[in-house]
């Protein structure tokens, strides 16, 4: 496997291009490539979701994504990694995160993929606010037992501070 | 005469913390504050500050740090709810 280029990471408010990220890691030397796409799901904790706002602490979010991608390359030498996370308002089915990996062999490609998504969810300073069909919204707290919001909820029309 | 750096830090709040505190960015004076934890304690005294748990996730200059981390004038301190990306 050719020496890995520096992993590609980006936080963007533009729609994510799955094909473009796969192209970044693919190559004739890579017998295996993987793509993970995280999308906005229509229900969470029994509540019907209509959309999600993602907020990031930049530049720290990009920095942590880059660190995680570099760690994947260190643990699985030869793997290529590309990650993009979207911020802003996303509708049902839209992709919030896309991770592409490639390696000569499938085991490192798959293992690196799993590592990146699991680690990203624990470390990257990004938050998500779900909007529900009744007009209410709430920030998701992944540490709450049900994954339900804890600290801040509101109704449609509630202004967030500038 | 050289200009002294004001003994203050910039504090950023995100997501649910920003909603309850009512601000996303503010300047906090380092009145005797020596650690990031001291700055957090000052913020906890502000309106809505009770949203901050005893040991919130914090960053100093865009790096995760412990509350015991020393703070310096000009630092950017981030108060972060549990992350929920991906």
């Amino acid at each position: 496997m050719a020496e890995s280029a520096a992993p590609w990471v980006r936080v963007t408010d533009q729609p994510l291009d799955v094909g473009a990220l796969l192209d970044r890691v693919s190559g004739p030397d890579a017998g295996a490539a993987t793509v993970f796409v995280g999308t906005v799901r229509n229900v969470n904790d029994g509540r019907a979701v209509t959309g999600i706002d993602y907020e990031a602490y930049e530049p720290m979010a990009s920095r942590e994504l880059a660190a995680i991608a570099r760690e994947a390359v260190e643990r699985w030498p030869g793997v290529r990694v590309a990650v993009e996370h979207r911020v802003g308002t996303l509708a049902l089915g839209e992709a919030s995160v896309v991770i592409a990996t490639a390696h000569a062999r499938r085991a490192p490609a798959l293992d690196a993929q799993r590592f990146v998504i699991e680690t990203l969810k624990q470390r990257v300073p990004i938050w998500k606010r779900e909007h529900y069909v009744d007009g209410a919204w709430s920030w998701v707290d992944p540490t709450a037992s049900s994954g339900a919001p804890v600290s801040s909820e509101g109704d449609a029309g509630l202004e967030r501070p500038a | 005469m050289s200009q002294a750096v004001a003994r203050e830090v910039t504090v950023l709040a995100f997501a649910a913390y920003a909603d309850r505190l009512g601000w996303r960015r503010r300047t906090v004076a380092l009145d005797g504050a020596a650690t990031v934890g001291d700055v957090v304690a000052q913020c906890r005294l502000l309106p809505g500050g009770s949203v901050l748990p005893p040991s919130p996730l914090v960053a100093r200059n865009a790096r995760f740090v412990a509350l015991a981390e020393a703070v310096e004038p000009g630092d950017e301190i981030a108060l972060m709810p549990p992350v929920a990306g991906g």
Side-chain angles (χ1 to χ4, degrees):
Chain A
M1 189 85 171
E3 182 176 312
S4 307
W8 169 268
V9 302
R10 188 168 70 158
V11 175
T12 176
D13 61 1
Q14 297 301 301
L16 304 181
D17 186 337
V18 174
L21 283 170
L22 183 55
D23 286 344
R24 283 188 179 277
V25 300
S26 298
D29 57 346
T34 78
V35 175
F36 173 87
V37 182
T39 56
V40 177
R41 191 158 46 100
N42 59 4
V43 68
N44 186 30
D45 195 38
R47 300 177 80 174
V49 175
T50 58
I52 296 185
D53 303 327
Y54 281 90
E55 173 184 322
Y57 173 23
E58 281 289 69
M60 189 175 175
S62 293
R63 180 183 291 182
E64 281 300 305
L65 275 178
I68 292 167
R70 278 197 307 273
E71 288 166 33
V73 170
E74 285 164 19
R75 288 178 62 162
W76 293 278
V79 78
R80 284 195 290 266
V81 179
V83 187
E84 288 191 357
H85 201 300
R86 191 166 164 204
V87 291
T89 298
L90 276 64
L92 291 182
E94 290 201 279
S96 53
V97 63
V98 177
I99 303 164
T101 71
H103 191 276
R105 313 303 298 242
R106 68 183 181 280
L110 287 164
D111 291 344
Q113 174 63 263
R114 182 120 212 183
F115 169 81
V116 173
I117 183 59
E118 299 297 338
T119 308
L120 175 164
K121 291 177 80 66
Q122 293 178 359
R123 275 172 49 182
V124 178
I126 290 176
W127 300 272
K128 62 188 202 182
R129 178 173 60 173
E130 290 177 337
H131 292 267
Y132 305 107
V133 72
D134 60 1
W137 55 263
S138 50
W139 292 100
V140 173
D141 179 353
T143 65
S145 58
S146 62
V150 175
S151 308
S152 176
E153 296 191 348
D155 299 315
L158 180 69
E159 292 291 327
R160 294 182 63 212
Chain B
M1 189 164 159
S2 64
Q3 182 123 38
V5 174
R7 289 199 56 78
E8 58 193 23
V9 295
T10 299
V11 181
L12 307 180
F14 292 93
Y17 292 174
D19 286 357
R20 287 279 297 275
L21 288 163
W23 47 268
R24 302 183 61 77
R25 180 187 195 94
R26 73 180 287 155
T27 300
V28 171
L30 291 177
D31 293 326
T35 67
V36 172
D38 291 337
V39 175
V40 172
Q42 281 178 235
C43 292
R44 206 175 277 115
L45 297 177
L46 298 171
S50 60
V51 72
L52 300 172
S55 297
L57 192 61
V58 291
R60 173 176 174 254
N61 300 326
R63 288 189 162 80
F64 290 115
V65 295
L67 292 172
E69 172 98 347
V71 69
E72 296 184 13
D75 279 351
E76 177 177 281
I77 306 299
L79 307 174
M80 302 179 287
V83 301

